[in-house]
Amino acid sequence: MKISFIILQLILGLFILLGFVKSDPDPLQDYCVASTENTHNFYINGVPCINPQLAMASHFATSDLSKPGNTRNQFGSNVSLTTMMNLPGLNTLGLAMARLDIAPDGLVPLHSHPRASEVIILLKGSLFVGFVDISNRLFTRQLRPGDSFVFPKGLIHYLYNMDKDEAVLAISGLSSQNPGVQISSIASFTSKPEIPDEVLEKSFKIHGPDLAKIRRNLGG
Ligand SMILES: *[C@@H]1O[C@H](CO)[C@@H](O)[C@H](O)[C@H]1NC(C)=O
């Protein structure tokens, strides 16, 4: 009787805890336009706001995503993201937006966002996307213009333009004002200081020359 009561309490406690697993905290006021100019000598979880009386429509607008990103780089892709600098009105609202330009045969390499789920809509081209869940299962899809796809928070995913002629244009929404991004290959092979060779060799089952080659290819 008593034991089952304790178990019941534990289960209830777990449900309450799970209820707190959310994205960014809810704002306590209409808005908190990010103050990006002052240097503040205190630290908070987010960015301080300007005086609400000074807020203007321009704080809630940006044309930054109207310009294509330059895809002449090692992966043939470019992701432009809204930030506290180019869209300060997003501060505390728990979302961000990205424009993805991917050249023919270009790739947004394997990466994850520690703080955000991401939903993408393909506007132009054809795009091959996928993510791997924690049981190591791959979920993958070939998208046509108008199709959407969701990458759950924190899971490793990729976006590949398999087309050899047409560039991809896609837009994504992210469930954090500061989603963060960790590119698997870059984080593993070009961190500063470097992850010890032995760790990488054993992790990826490779030997010294392979390791040096991968580091060189990634510009590490
Ligand atoms: C993405 O495009 C912008 C605008 O053209 C450019 O400034 C930036 O260097 C590009 N980023 C990469 C990784 O190529």
Side-chain angles (χ1 to χ4, degrees):
M1 181 71 185
K2 212 162 175 206
I3 298 249
S4 63
F5 182 67
I6 291 169
I7 290 173
L8 187 67
Q9 277 205 320
L10 276 175
I11 291 172
L12 279 176
L14 192 65
F15 275 117
I16 290 168
L17 269 178
L18 284 175
F20 287 121
V21 180
K22 291 189 198 159
S23 44
D24 299 9
D26 283 335
L28 298 172
Q29 54 212 30
D30 279 1
Y31 49 81
C32 168
V33 175
S35 168
T36 51
E37 275 158 27
N38 307 347
T39 47
H40 300 274
N41 53 3
F42 61 95
Y43 296 89
I44 61 167
N45 184 19
V47 179
C49 349
I50 62 171
N51 180 342
Q53 309 255 313
L54 302 177
M56 293 178 294
S58 60
H59 290 131
F60 299 91
T62 179
S63 299
D64 267 33
L65 304 192
S66 67
K67 304 170 213 126
N70 183 354
T71 56
R72 257 174 254 132
N73 52 49
Q74 63 174 339
F75 294 114
S77 64
N78 195 313
V79 179
S80 319
L81 187 69
T82 59
T83 63
M84 289 314 97
M85 297 306 286
N86 61 25
L87 192 55
L90 268 187
N91 193 35
T92 75
L93 301 188
L95 30 103
M97 203 163 201
R99 172 191 175 125
L100 296 90
D101 292 287
I102 313 176
D105 200 34
L107 174 73
V108 179
L110 290 168
H111 67 282
S112 65
H113 305 291
R115 288 177 290 277
S117 296
E118 174 175 7
V119 58
I120 180 173
I121 180 163
L122 180 65
L123 300 182
K124 280 189 201 150
S126 90
L127 185 61
F128 184 63
V129 296
F131 71 85
V132 178
D133 75 6
I134 57 164
S135 73
N136 221 18
R137 196 169 147 207
L138 174 68
F139 295 78
T140 181
R141 198 88 173 166
Q142 176 85 42
L143 306 183
R144 304 273 164 219
D147 291 348
S148 289
F149 194 81
V150 164
F151 304 110
K153 183 172 179 170
L155 299 184
I156 288 182
H157 58 281
Y158 60 82
L159 305 98
Y160 177 36
N161 181 2
M162 284 170 91
D163 200 278
K164 300 290 180 264
D165 303 309
E166 201 182 353
V168 153
L169 172 62
I171 299 290
S172 69
L174 296 122
S175 63
S176 167
Q177 71 179 50
N178 186 18
V181 59
Q182 193 161 41
I183 299 177
S184 311
S185 54
I186 299 288
S188 303
F189 292 97
T190 72
S191 66
K192 299 205 172 46
E194 287 173 348
I195 295 174
D197 290 7
E198 294 81 351
V199 174
L200 289 176
E201 285 168 16
K202 288 181 190 296
S203 297
F204 291 91
K205 305 285 174 203
I206 53 176
H207 300 291
D210 305 320
L211 178 52
K213 185 174 177 199
I214 296 172
R215 280 207 172 112
R216 242 190 348 267
N217 289 348
L218 291 170

